[in-house]
Amino acid sequence: QVQLVESGGGSVQPRGSLRLSCAVSGTSVRTLSAAWFRQLPGKERIGVAGMNIEGTEFYAHAVQGRFFISKDTAKDLLYLQMNNLKPEDTATYYCAAISSPLDWVRLLDAGNYNYWGQGTQVIVSS
């Protein structure tokens, strides 16, 4: 059974940085296509960054050049480095994964994932 556990959320001022972590258990992170999504209360979950098994990355336009997804295959961790944070980045962030290849164009579609973490909250405010 694959399990995902996020950590690293918190409160930060605008233009600050945070790094979210997603600990993978039950399989190796190298066998997963994975992504980060964010969600506000009452809103749909939106994909922000994804990486497939081959290592291809894809980002939502709103975070390009500020957010970076990576895998640590030695520690079985998925990261989301978030720089130059803006108030509109405030949300609960979820990691998601599936044990199969995904074309890069499908990485930010929530319907393609069957494993989800519990979420970690990020608040960007002065």
Side-chain angles (χ1 to χ4, degrees):
Q1 179 77 3
V2 176
Q3 291 189 322
L4 308 176
V5 179
E6 302 97 334
S7 61
S11 295
V12 64
Q13 293 188 338
R15 294 180 296 280
S17 296
L18 279 176
R19 187 177 75 166
L20 305 183
S21 299
C22 175
V24 176
S25 61
T27 190
S28 170
V29 72
R30 69 172 72 244
T31 70
L32 300 174
S33 294
W36 289 92
F37 290 77
R38 65 188 181 188
Q39 187 175 28
L40 289 170
K43 303 293 186 180
E44 70 174 319
R45 204 164 286 190
I46 303 296
V48 296
M51 177 181 283
N52 63 17
I53 290 175
E54 294 81 7
T56 300
E57 302 168 33
F58 188 59
Y59 297 90
H61 178 73
V63 306
Q64 279 181 344
R66 300 189 299 122
F67 289 15
F68 301 94
I69 189 172
S70 62
K71 293 179 180 178
D72 184 331
T73 56
K75 298 180 180 179
D76 283 325
L77 290 168
L78 179 74
Y79 294 115
L80 183 68
Q81 177 67 42
M82 305 186 295
N83 301 325
N84 190 22
L85 282 160
K86 304 176 180 181
E88 52 263 42
D89 295 318
T90 294
T92 298
Y93 284 73
Y94 299 87
C95 64
I98 185 168
S99 299
S100 63
L102 279 180
D103 290 338
W104 66 269
V105 293
R106 302 177 63 193
L107 282 170
L108 300 188
D109 181 351
N112 290 320
Y113 295 95
N114 55 355
Y115 302 118
W116 291 86
Q118 82 290 347
T120 185
Q121 190 171 35
V122 172
I123 299 173
V124 184
S125 175
S126 55

